[in-house]
Amino acid sequence: MNCLENQITFAGNCQDMFIVIGIMFLGIALGYLLRKVKGIENLSKSISLTILLLLFLLGVSVGGNPEIVSNLSTLGWQAFLLAFAGTLGSVVAAGLVYRFFFKKHKL
């Protein structure tokens, strides 16, 4: 099955989804190639600020949608539970990865 049959799309069609994934992998490759360049490690603060700006704009978009705002009492609990479960799962997975792959074991 392709993404058109499943209706799994990003921004309208399958091509856009593959463009986004391609851009992500291009960024990974570029980061790998530039990892020893001075100043690259300083990007984390600007990345964090950009993510915060995107989250703020997402909130503005959600707040401006009357359908979401009118159903917030129902959607709010579902969204909270999904966000909480996702965060908890991520924290547990990160802890396991750290424990088994990065923590130095005493001999």
Side-chain angles (χ1 to χ4, degrees):
M1 278 190 221
N2 64 31
C3 62
L4 291 177
E5 292 171 355
N6 285 334
Q7 299 296 317
I8 299 172
T9 60
F10 179 81
N13 61 42
C14 292
Q15 185 179 9
D16 291 341
M17 178 178 62
F18 289 116
I19 289 171
V20 169
I21 292 171
I23 290 171
M24 181 184 70
F25 281 118
L26 182 65
I28 291 171
L30 190 62
Y32 180 77
L33 293 173
L34 298 175
R35 69 187 181 276
K36 294 183 181 181
V37 173
K38 266 190 170 180
I40 292 292
E41 65 273 358
N42 296 332
L43 285 176
S44 64
K45 185 169 184 166
S46 63
I47 290 170
S48 295
L49 291 173
T50 302
I51 291 171
L52 289 173
L53 176 64
L54 288 171
L55 287 171
F56 172 75
L57 293 174
L58 177 64
V60 169
S61 175
V62 168
N65 187 330
E67 189 175 342
I68 292 176
V69 172
S70 65
N71 292 319
L72 199 55
S73 61
T74 303
L75 294 173
W77 281 106
Q78 292 172 351
F80 173 77
L81 289 175
L82 282 172
F84 181 77
T87 303
L88 181 63
S90 295
V91 168
V92 169
L96 291 173
V97 166
Y98 174 76
R99 180 177 180 191
F100 290 112
F101 295 106
F102 295 105
K103 189 173 182 184
K104 299 200 189 282
H105 298 287
K106 294 181 182 178
L107 296 176

XYZ file of all heavy atoms in Angstrom:
817
model
N 0.835 -1.184 0.000
C 0.000 0.000 0.000
C 0.878 1.246 0.000
O 1.876 1.291 0.689
C -0.864 0.043 1.262
C -2.088 -0.777 1.183
S -3.115 -0.395 2.604
C -3.642 -2.031 2.981
N 0.481 2.219 -0.718
C 1.231 3.465 -0.688
C 0.505 4.474 0.186
O -0.590 4.230 0.670
C 1.472 4.007 -2.097
C 0.185 4.383 -2.809
O -0.789 4.781 -2.188
N 0.187 4.244 -4.116
N 1.131 5.614 0.397
C 0.546 6.581 1.332
C -0.739 7.200 0.798
O -1.530 7.704 1.575
C 1.562 7.648 1.709
S 2.125 8.622 0.338
N -0.979 7.157 -0.493
C -2.233 7.681 -1.020
C -3.405 6.775 -0.663
O -4.504 7.230 -0.395
C -2.150 7.854 -2.538
C -1.211 8.956 -3.020
C -1.164 8.963 -4.539
C -1.634 10.301 -2.498
N -3.161 5.473 -0.642
C -4.218 4.528 -0.282
C -4.557 4.618 1.200
O -5.698 4.468 1.601
C -3.790 3.102 -0.623
C -3.678 2.854 -2.113
C -3.039 1.517 -2.434
O -2.599 0.826 -1.492
O -2.973 1.172 -3.622
N -3.564 4.859 2.028
C -3.773 4.925 3.476
C -4.172 6.307 3.954
O -4.472 6.489 5.117
C -2.494 4.531 4.215
C -2.254 3.057 4.175
O -3.189 2.280 4.045
N -1.002 2.664 4.268
N -4.100 7.301 3.103
C -4.378 8.689 3.462
C -3.387 9.211 4.495
O -3.703 10.084 5.280
C -5.818 8.857 3.985
C -6.877 8.489 2.984
C -6.858 9.409 1.774
O -6.730 10.599 1.931
N -6.978 8.849 0.585
N -2.180 8.621 4.524
C -1.141 9.113 5.414
C -0.343 10.130 4.614
O 0.431 9.789 3.741
C -0.230 7.972 5.905
C -1.046 6.953 6.684
C 0.910 8.523 6.745
C -0.271 5.722 7.045
N -0.557 11.381 4.905
C 0.114 12.416 4.135
C 0.609 13.503 5.055
O 0.201 13.621 6.204
C -0.838 13.041 3.097
O -1.946 13.620 3.782
C -1.320 12.015 2.099
N 1.483 14.307 4.531
C 1.981 15.478 5.246
C 1.826 16.662 4.311
O 2.352 16.659 3.212
C 3.445 15.290 5.642
C 4.004 16.473 6.363
C 3.762 16.638 7.705
C 4.749 17.415 5.691
C 4.260 17.723 8.376
C 5.251 18.509 6.354
C 5.012 18.662 7.703
N 1.116 17.658 4.729
C 0.930 18.889 3.953
C 0.326 18.619 2.588
O 0.619 19.297 1.636
C 2.248 19.636 3.826
N -0.482 17.582 2.466
C -1.240 17.421 1.239
C -0.948 16.198 0.411
O -1.854 15.613 -0.134
N 0.294 15.792 0.267
C 0.546 14.621 -0.564
C 1.811 13.902 -0.128
O 2.572 14.371 0.700
C 0.610 15.009 -2.047
C 1.716 15.989 -2.340
O 2.805 15.840 -1.826
N 1.433 16.983 -3.158
N 2.028 12.745 -0.746
C 3.172 11.904 -0.370
C 4.498 12.564 -0.691
O 5.463 12.394 0.048
C 3.100 10.575 -1.100
S 1.754 9.556 -0.575
N 4.557 13.291 -1.784
C 5.796 13.922 -2.176
C 6.280 14.877 -1.083
O 7.468 14.901 -0.771
C 5.622 14.669 -3.488
C 6.917 15.261 -4.009
C 6.723 15.985 -5.320
O 5.604 16.188 -5.763
N 7.816 16.381 -5.926
N 5.371 15.631 -0.493
C 5.755 16.547 0.581
C 6.316 15.798 1.779
O 7.272 16.252 2.411
C 4.560 17.389 1.018
C 4.121 18.383 -0.033
O 4.922 18.683 -0.938
O 2.968 18.844 0.040
N 5.737 14.640 2.092
C 6.212 13.848 3.217
C 7.651 13.389 2.971
O 8.501 13.482 3.857
C 5.302 12.633 3.422
C 5.737 11.713 4.534
S 4.623 10.331 4.791
C 4.718 9.475 3.230
N 7.935 12.938 1.773
C 9.287 12.479 1.459
C 10.276 13.645 1.399
O 11.450 13.480 1.732
C 9.293 11.670 0.163
C 8.631 10.332 0.323
C 7.475 10.045 -0.376
C 9.150 9.387 1.186
C 6.852 8.816 -0.218
C 8.538 8.149 1.347
C 7.384 7.871 0.645
N 9.823 14.813 1.014
C 10.691 15.993 1.025
C 11.085 16.331 2.456
O 12.259 16.601 2.740
C 9.996 17.186 0.334
C 9.925 16.937 -1.178
C 10.720 18.496 0.642
C 9.079 17.940 -1.931
N 10.132 16.293 3.384
C 10.430 16.589 4.790
C 11.408 15.559 5.355
O 12.379 15.914 6.033
C 9.126 16.635 5.625
C 9.428 16.679 7.109
C 8.290 17.825 5.219
N 11.186 14.290 5.081
C 12.096 13.243 5.566
C 13.475 13.410 4.930
O 14.501 13.265 5.600
C 11.507 11.846 5.280
C 10.261 11.636 6.142
C 12.535 10.749 5.561
C 9.471 10.398 5.795
N 13.513 13.749 3.644
C 14.790 13.975 2.971
C 15.552 15.140 3.565
O 16.775 15.079 3.740
N 14.849 16.224 3.883
C 15.492 17.387 4.504
C 16.064 17.004 5.867
O 17.173 17.422 6.230
C 14.507 18.564 4.614
C 14.223 19.129 3.221
C 15.029 19.646 5.553
C 13.105 20.147 3.182
N 15.347 16.178 6.617
C 15.841 15.746 7.922
C 17.135 14.944 7.758
O 18.122 15.184 8.454
C 14.792 14.899 8.647
C 15.247 14.457 10.019
S 14.094 13.365 10.843
C 14.259 11.883 9.882
N 17.146 13.999 6.812
C 18.352 13.193 6.609
C 19.505 14.032 6.053
O 20.667 13.785 6.375
C 18.058 11.992 5.711
C 17.385 10.877 6.447
C 16.125 10.463 6.074
C 17.995 10.247 7.514
C 15.486 9.433 6.746
C 17.372 9.220 8.207
C 16.119 8.813 7.818
N 19.206 15.026 5.244
C 20.229 15.940 4.759
C 20.849 16.705 5.927
O 22.075 16.876 5.995
C 19.628 16.908 3.737
C 20.595 17.895 3.110
C 21.633 17.173 2.270
C 19.832 18.895 2.258
N 20.013 17.131 6.857
C 20.512 17.807 8.053
C 21.380 16.906 8.905
O 22.409 17.338 9.444
N 20.989 15.641 9.024
C 21.798 14.686 9.792
C 23.159 14.515 9.138
O 24.199 14.539 9.809
C 21.063 13.334 9.910
C 19.843 13.480 10.819
C 22.004 12.247 10.441
C 18.924 12.258 10.816
N 23.172 14.348 7.812
C 24.437 14.179 7.096
C 25.311 15.423 7.220
O 26.525 15.329 7.465
C 24.162 13.858 5.629
N 24.711 16.598 7.083
C 25.457 17.841 7.191
C 26.013 18.018 8.608
O 27.165 18.416 8.789
C 24.564 19.021 6.818
C 25.252 20.358 6.644
C 26.270 20.299 5.516
C 24.223 21.429 6.355
N 25.209 17.703 9.611
C 25.680 17.772 10.994
C 26.836 16.821 11.245
O 27.794 17.156 11.958
N 26.777 15.640 10.647
C 27.855 14.670 10.798
C 29.137 15.193 10.162
O 30.219 15.098 10.747
C 27.452 13.335 10.166
C 28.516 12.272 10.275
C 28.725 11.593 11.470
C 29.323 11.958 9.188
C 29.707 10.629 11.582
C 30.306 10.999 9.289
C 30.503 10.335 10.478
O 31.480 9.379 10.578
N 29.007 15.771 8.971
C 30.184 16.285 8.272
C 30.778 17.512 8.958
O 31.995 17.725 8.924
C 29.830 16.629 6.825
C 29.475 15.441 5.932
C 28.973 15.923 4.581
C 30.670 14.506 5.771
N 29.947 18.315 9.595
C 30.408 19.559 10.227
C 30.624 19.437 11.732
O 30.810 20.443 12.416
C 29.404 20.682 9.951
C 29.197 21.057 8.485
C 28.095 22.093 8.363
C 30.484 21.552 7.860
N 30.598 18.244 12.260
C 30.644 18.066 13.709
C 31.925 18.584 14.346
O 31.946 18.898 15.530
C 30.407 16.605 14.080
C 31.515 15.675 13.697
C 31.111 14.219 13.953
N 32.178 13.302 13.623
C 32.427 12.833 12.405
N 31.656 13.195 11.409
N 33.424 12.010 12.187
N 33.015 18.694 13.588
C 34.273 19.173 14.169
C 34.515 20.664 13.905
O 35.534 21.200 14.302
C 35.432 18.345 13.615
C 35.354 16.906 14.075
C 36.520 16.091 13.607
C 36.346 14.652 14.096
N 37.429 13.798 13.704
N 33.575 21.325 13.250
C 33.711 22.761 12.978
C 33.411 23.528 14.262
O 32.435 23.246 14.960
C 32.749 23.185 11.835
C 32.753 24.687 11.657
C 33.113 22.474 10.550
N 34.282 24.518 14.551
C 34.080 25.318 15.762
C 32.775 26.086 15.674
O 32.409 26.613 14.637
C 35.219 26.324 15.925
C 36.318 25.846 16.792
C 37.249 26.991 17.089
C 38.222 26.544 18.159
N 39.146 27.601 18.503
N 32.053 26.165 16.764
C 30.827 26.941 16.818
C 29.558 26.130 16.581
O 28.472 26.581 16.910
N 29.677 24.952 16.012
C 28.486 24.129 15.743
C 27.797 23.742 17.053
O 26.575 23.712 17.132
C 28.848 22.876 14.921
C 29.266 23.273 13.507
C 27.719 21.875 14.886
C 28.148 23.839 12.664
N 28.589 23.484 18.086
C 27.993 23.089 19.366
C 27.197 24.221 20.002
O 26.376 23.998 20.878
C 29.051 22.556 20.332
C 30.076 23.588 20.758
C 31.270 23.711 19.814
O 31.354 22.972 18.834
O 32.124 24.565 20.082
N 27.419 25.447 19.552
C 26.689 26.595 20.092
C 25.314 26.772 19.474
O 24.571 27.673 19.854
C 27.502 27.882 19.900
C 28.804 27.857 20.670
O 28.907 27.196 21.696
N 29.800 28.541 20.174
N 24.949 25.934 18.531
C 23.640 26.029 17.879
C 22.488 25.599 18.787
O 21.345 25.936 18.525
C 23.608 25.167 16.615
C 24.349 25.702 15.409
C 24.299 24.685 14.278
C 23.758 27.007 14.963
N 22.786 24.870 19.841
C 21.710 24.304 20.663
C 20.805 25.378 21.260
O 19.591 25.185 21.351
C 22.279 23.405 21.760
O 23.060 24.156 22.647
N 21.371 26.516 21.660
C 20.534 27.573 22.238
C 19.593 28.161 21.187
O 18.409 28.369 21.453
C 21.398 28.665 22.851
C 20.581 29.723 23.558
C 21.432 30.654 24.372
C 20.524 31.606 25.119
N 21.198 32.325 26.163
N 20.102 28.416 19.982
C 19.235 28.959 18.945
C 18.186 27.938 18.499
O 17.058 28.309 18.169
C 20.056 29.446 17.750
O 20.734 28.380 17.142
N 18.536 26.668 18.513
C 17.563 25.624 18.177
C 16.463 25.590 19.231
O 15.277 25.507 18.900
C 18.258 24.255 18.044
C 19.135 24.238 16.799
C 17.243 23.119 18.002
C 20.040 23.040 16.685
N 16.838 25.680 20.498
C 15.844 25.685 21.569
C 14.911 26.888 21.451
O 13.689 26.755 21.614
C 16.527 25.704 22.937
O 17.239 24.515 23.131
N 15.459 28.048 21.152
C 14.625 29.240 20.992
C 13.685 29.106 19.790
O 12.527 29.526 19.854
C 15.499 30.482 20.850
C 16.266 30.898 22.106
C 17.229 32.044 21.795
C 15.314 31.276 23.216
N 14.171 28.504 18.717
C 13.329 28.293 17.540
C 12.189 27.335 17.852
O 11.045 27.561 17.441
C 14.175 27.745 16.376
O 15.233 28.669 16.106
C 13.345 27.546 15.128
N 12.479 26.271 18.599
C 11.433 25.314 18.981
C 10.398 25.996 19.867
O 9.189 25.786 19.704
C 12.050 24.075 19.663
C 12.829 23.262 18.621
C 10.979 23.218 20.328
C 13.656 22.143 19.196
N 10.843 26.829 20.807
C 9.896 27.554 21.662
C 9.017 28.488 20.839
O 7.812 28.596 21.084
C 10.648 28.333 22.736
C 11.290 27.489 23.833
C 12.156 28.362 24.740
C 10.248 26.741 24.626
N 9.597 29.163 19.847
C 8.821 30.032 18.973
C 7.788 29.227 18.187
O 6.630 29.636 18.070
C 9.740 30.794 18.021
C 9.049 31.671 16.988
C 8.284 32.802 17.677
C 10.050 32.221 15.998
N 8.195 28.065 17.674
C 7.255 27.217 16.937
C 6.117 26.729 17.828
O 4.951 26.682 17.410
C 7.984 26.029 16.311
C 8.875 26.352 15.119
C 9.707 25.134 14.739
C 8.048 26.817 13.941
N 6.434 26.371 19.081
C 5.386 25.945 20.011
C 4.434 27.093 20.326
O 3.217 26.887 20.414
C 6.009 25.400 21.294
C 6.664 24.029 21.163
C 7.437 23.691 22.436
C 5.634 22.966 20.847
N 4.972 28.298 20.478
C 4.126 29.461 20.713
C 3.189 29.690 19.530
O 1.988 29.909 19.707
C 4.992 30.702 20.963
C 4.202 31.968 21.032
C 3.453 32.264 22.156
C 4.204 32.855 19.970
C 2.713 33.434 22.226
C 3.471 34.027 20.025
C 2.718 34.318 21.156
N 3.730 29.627 18.322
C 2.903 29.829 17.132
C 1.864 28.727 16.973
O 0.748 28.973 16.520
C 3.791 29.931 15.888
C 4.684 31.176 15.837
C 5.628 31.113 14.654
C 3.846 32.447 15.804
N 2.216 27.505 17.364
C 1.234 26.417 17.350
C 0.107 26.725 18.333
O -1.069 26.521 18.020
C 1.899 25.089 17.706
C 0.988 23.881 17.790
C 0.369 23.562 16.431
C 1.734 22.681 18.327
N 0.447 27.239 19.507
C -0.569 27.623 20.485
C -1.469 28.731 19.968
O -2.688 28.696 20.171
N -0.898 29.706 19.280
C -1.698 30.776 18.686
C -2.662 30.199 17.656
O -3.835 30.564 17.600
C -0.782 31.854 18.054
C -1.578 32.830 17.205
C -0.014 32.589 19.139
N -2.163 29.270 16.852
C -3.000 28.634 15.829
C -4.142 27.835 16.458
O -5.292 27.917 16.016
C -2.135 27.734 14.954
O -2.914 27.027 14.039
N -3.833 27.075 17.501
C -4.866 26.284 18.189
C -5.872 27.216 18.862
O -7.081 27.001 18.794
C -4.227 25.317 19.211
C -5.265 24.704 20.130
C -3.457 24.222 18.486
N -5.391 28.260 19.517
C -6.281 29.202 20.178
C -7.181 29.960 19.211
O -8.277 30.376 19.561
N -6.742 30.120 17.988
C -7.538 30.808 16.988
C -8.526 29.910 16.258
O -9.305 30.391 15.433
N -8.511 28.621 16.560
C -9.424 27.674 15.911
C -10.661 27.497 16.791
O -10.597 26.859 17.841
C -8.723 26.341 15.697
C -9.542 25.369 14.883
O -10.759 25.390 14.899
N -8.840 24.495 14.181
N -11.823 28.037 16.384
C -13.012 27.977 17.240
C -13.493 26.547 17.505
O -14.038 26.270 18.570
C -14.065 28.767 16.471
C -13.511 29.037 15.130
C -12.058 28.751 15.143
N -13.285 25.647 16.568
C -13.729 24.262 16.768
C -12.927 23.588 17.879
O -13.479 22.889 18.723
C -13.580 23.476 15.460
C -14.215 22.101 15.525
C -14.165 21.398 14.171
O -13.971 22.072 13.149
O -14.341 20.174 14.170
N -11.629 23.810 17.893
C -10.793 23.223 18.952
C -11.118 23.865 20.293
O -11.258 23.171 21.306
C -9.300 23.387 18.615
C -8.942 22.528 17.406
C -8.432 23.008 19.802
C -7.519 22.673 16.930
N -11.260 25.188 20.325
C -11.542 25.882 21.586
C -12.879 25.446 22.162
O -13.005 25.227 23.372
C -11.490 27.414 21.378
C -11.958 28.146 22.608
C -10.086 27.848 21.011
N -13.895 25.247 21.313
C -15.214 24.842 21.824
C -15.212 23.402 22.343
O -16.018 23.047 23.188
C -16.286 25.010 20.744
O -16.043 24.132 19.668
N -14.312 22.576 21.853
C -14.230 21.174 22.311
C -13.056 20.940 23.246
O -12.656 19.802 23.469
C -14.103 20.235 21.103
C -15.349 20.209 20.270
O -16.452 20.200 20.804
N -15.187 20.218 18.962
N -12.506 22.003 23.807
C -11.302 21.884 24.623
C -11.515 21.038 25.871
O -10.605 20.331 26.292
C -10.805 23.280 25.008
C -9.359 23.380 25.456
C -8.438 22.793 24.416
C -8.991 24.810 25.734
N -12.709 21.062 26.440
C -12.934 20.267 27.651
C -12.788 18.782 27.349
O -12.232 18.034 28.153
C -14.305 20.565 28.234
O -15.322 20.225 27.301
N -13.250 18.334 26.203
C -13.104 16.919 25.826
C -11.708 16.650 25.290
O -11.039 15.706 25.713
C -14.136 16.554 24.738
O -15.431 16.842 25.226
C -14.047 15.094 24.375
N -11.268 17.485 24.372
C -9.959 17.285 23.751
C -8.829 17.491 24.745
O -7.781 16.856 24.632
C -9.792 18.248 22.576
C -10.708 18.051 21.386
C -10.529 19.185 20.382
C -10.459 16.716 20.720
N -9.041 18.366 25.717
C -8.000 18.678 26.684
C -7.539 17.469 27.474
O -6.343 17.233 27.622
N -8.482 16.673 27.979
C -8.115 15.490 28.754
C -7.446 14.445 27.890
O -6.460 13.825 28.293
C -9.333 14.896 29.467
C -9.660 15.653 30.702
C -10.692 16.517 30.898
C -8.899 15.660 31.910
N -10.615 17.059 32.167
C -9.535 16.542 32.809
C -7.743 15.013 32.327
C -9.039 16.787 34.077
C -7.258 15.262 33.599
C -7.900 16.136 34.462
N -7.973 14.254 26.686
C -7.354 13.288 25.778
C -5.944 13.728 25.411
O -5.003 12.924 25.426
C -8.205 13.128 24.519
C -9.537 12.470 24.761
C -10.424 12.503 23.520
O -10.109 13.147 22.541
N -11.539 11.790 23.588
N -5.791 15.009 25.119
C -4.468 15.527 24.768
C -3.518 15.416 25.951
O -2.345 15.051 25.788
C -4.583 16.977 24.310
N -4.012 15.728 27.151
C -3.170 15.617 28.344
C -2.713 14.185 28.556
O -1.529 13.931 28.798
C -3.909 16.119 29.590
C -3.149 15.862 30.858
C -2.074 16.665 31.196
C -3.497 14.813 31.697
C -1.356 16.426 32.356
C -2.793 14.570 32.850
C -1.716 15.376 33.185
N -3.629 13.241 28.448
C -3.261 11.836 28.658
C -2.276 11.356 27.599
O -1.307 10.650 27.917
C -4.512 10.956 28.673
C -5.405 11.111 29.892
C -6.670 10.273 29.740
C -4.657 10.702 31.154
N -2.501 11.726 26.355
C -1.567 11.339 25.295
C -0.191 11.968 25.509
O 0.842 11.303 25.368
C -2.116 11.744 23.937
C -3.210 10.853 23.360
C -3.806 11.481 22.112
C -2.658 9.476 23.041
N -0.172 13.243 25.865
C 1.100 13.925 26.095
C 1.823 13.332 27.300
O 3.043 13.101 27.258
C 0.873 15.414 26.298
N 1.081 13.060 28.368
C 1.688 12.484 29.571
C 2.249 11.100 29.281
O 3.382 10.790 29.660
C 0.658 12.420 30.703
C 1.222 11.866 31.974
C 2.030 12.657 32.781
C 0.957 10.560 32.362
C 2.566 12.150 33.959
C 1.486 10.047 33.529
C 2.283 10.848 34.329
N 1.470 10.259 28.598
C 1.931 8.908 28.283
C 3.139 8.955 27.345
O 4.100 8.191 27.524
C 0.798 8.099 27.654
N 3.111 9.847 26.371
C 4.243 9.978 25.458
C 5.502 10.448 26.166
O 6.593 9.942 25.927
N 5.346 11.412 27.057
C 6.484 11.920 27.811
C 7.033 10.854 28.748
O 8.253 10.653 28.831
C 6.084 13.173 28.617
O 5.577 14.157 27.705
C 7.251 13.739 29.389
N 6.156 10.157 29.436
C 6.591 9.100 30.339
C 7.330 8.005 29.576
O 8.396 7.544 30.000
C 5.385 8.515 31.089
C 5.690 7.411 32.101
C 6.570 7.956 33.223
C 4.391 6.852 32.664
N 6.789 7.602 28.446
C 7.453 6.587 27.629
C 8.815 7.044 27.146
O 9.779 6.280 27.141
N 8.925 8.314 26.767
C 10.211 8.854 26.311
C 11.234 8.889 27.437
O 12.404 8.569 27.232
C 10.019 10.256 25.743
O 9.225 10.219 24.591
N 10.795 9.281 28.625
C 11.706 9.342 29.766
C 12.194 7.937 30.129
O 13.387 7.723 30.373
C 11.030 10.025 30.980
C 11.833 9.837 32.254
C 10.819 11.499 30.693
N 11.298 6.975 30.147
C 11.681 5.594 30.457
C 12.644 5.060 29.394
O 13.680 4.464 29.713
C 10.429 4.691 30.586
C 10.810 3.228 30.642
C 9.625 5.086 31.819
N 12.333 5.281 28.126
C 13.200 4.802 27.049
C 14.574 5.475 27.111
O 15.602 4.809 26.946
C 12.548 5.056 25.692
N 14.605 6.786 27.367
C 15.882 7.490 27.463
C 16.700 6.962 28.643
O 17.920 6.798 28.540
C 15.652 8.991 27.608
N 16.040 6.687 29.764
C 16.737 6.123 30.915
C 17.335 4.768 30.618
O 18.474 4.474 31.003
N 16.587 3.937 29.917
C 17.101 2.613 29.549
C 18.265 2.710 28.575
O 19.271 2.002 28.713
C 15.982 1.760 28.952
C 14.892 1.322 29.928
C 13.756 0.627 29.192
C 15.472 0.408 31.001
N 18.150 3.587 27.589
C 19.247 3.773 26.634
C 20.494 4.268 27.362
O 21.604 3.765 27.132
C 18.835 4.748 25.507
C 20.039 5.210 24.705
C 17.816 4.096 24.587
N 20.332 5.236 28.254
C 21.469 5.742 29.009
C 22.094 4.632 29.853
O 23.312 4.462 29.868
C 21.048 6.907 29.910
C 22.160 7.369 30.812
C 23.202 8.147 30.305
C 22.186 7.017 32.160
C 24.240 8.566 31.125
C 23.222 7.430 32.974
C 24.239 8.196 32.456
O 25.276 8.594 33.269
N 21.253 3.885 30.524
C 21.757 2.849 31.433
C 22.528 1.771 30.685
O 23.582 1.328 31.129
C 20.587 2.228 32.189
C 21.014 1.145 33.141
C 19.866 0.611 33.929
N 20.335 -0.429 34.826
C 19.561 -1.231 35.490
N 18.254 -1.111 35.373
N 20.050 -2.140 36.280
N 22.018 1.344 29.534
C 22.629 0.218 28.845
C 23.704 0.617 27.835
O 24.544 -0.202 27.470
C 21.562 -0.625 28.155
C 20.697 -1.378 29.119
C 19.364 -1.041 29.271
C 21.213 -2.392 29.905
C 18.555 -1.726 30.168
C 20.424 -3.077 30.804
C 19.084 -2.740 30.937
N 23.722 1.856 27.388
C 24.665 2.222 26.347
C 25.680 3.290 26.744
O 26.754 3.352 26.169
C 23.922 2.696 25.091
C 23.119 1.616 24.440
C 21.743 1.612 24.538
C 23.739 0.592 23.748
C 20.994 0.621 23.951
C 23.004 -0.410 23.155
C 21.623 -0.398 23.256
N 25.357 4.148 27.713
C 26.237 5.263 28.010
C 26.817 5.257 29.417
O 27.839 5.878 29.646
C 25.503 6.599 27.778
C 25.139 6.801 26.337
C 23.836 6.639 25.916
C 26.101 7.131 25.408
C 23.489 6.817 24.588
C 25.777 7.310 24.075
C 24.469 7.145 23.658
N 26.171 4.631 30.344
C 26.657 4.625 31.714
C 27.885 3.719 31.799
O 27.867 2.595 31.311
C 25.563 4.120 32.656
C 25.898 4.272 34.110
C 24.729 3.911 34.979
C 25.044 4.100 36.436
N 23.944 3.672 37.276
N 28.925 4.250 32.397
C 30.151 3.463 32.542
C 29.962 2.456 33.673
O 29.601 2.803 34.782
C 31.338 4.367 32.830
C 31.596 5.357 31.713
C 32.989 5.873 31.776
C 33.203 6.994 30.831
N 33.392 6.788 29.509
N 30.194 1.207 33.353
C 30.013 0.138 34.335
C 31.329 -0.120 35.059
O 32.404 -0.140 34.460
C 29.564 -1.148 33.654
C 28.234 -1.009 32.965
N 27.057 -0.938 33.656
C 27.913 -0.901 31.650
C 26.058 -0.810 32.816
N 26.560 -0.785 31.583
N 31.242 -0.331 36.365
C 32.421 -0.653 37.158
C 32.774 -2.118 36.952
O 31.913 -2.981 36.918
C 32.168 -0.380 38.635
C 31.969 1.069 38.938
C 31.751 1.286 40.424
C 31.514 2.754 40.693
N 31.246 3.016 42.096
N 34.076 -2.375 36.813
C 34.524 -3.751 36.615
C 34.847 -4.429 37.896
O 35.229 -4.002 38.860
C 35.753 -3.780 35.691
C 35.480 -3.294 34.277
C 36.796 -3.277 33.495
C 34.504 -4.197 33.580
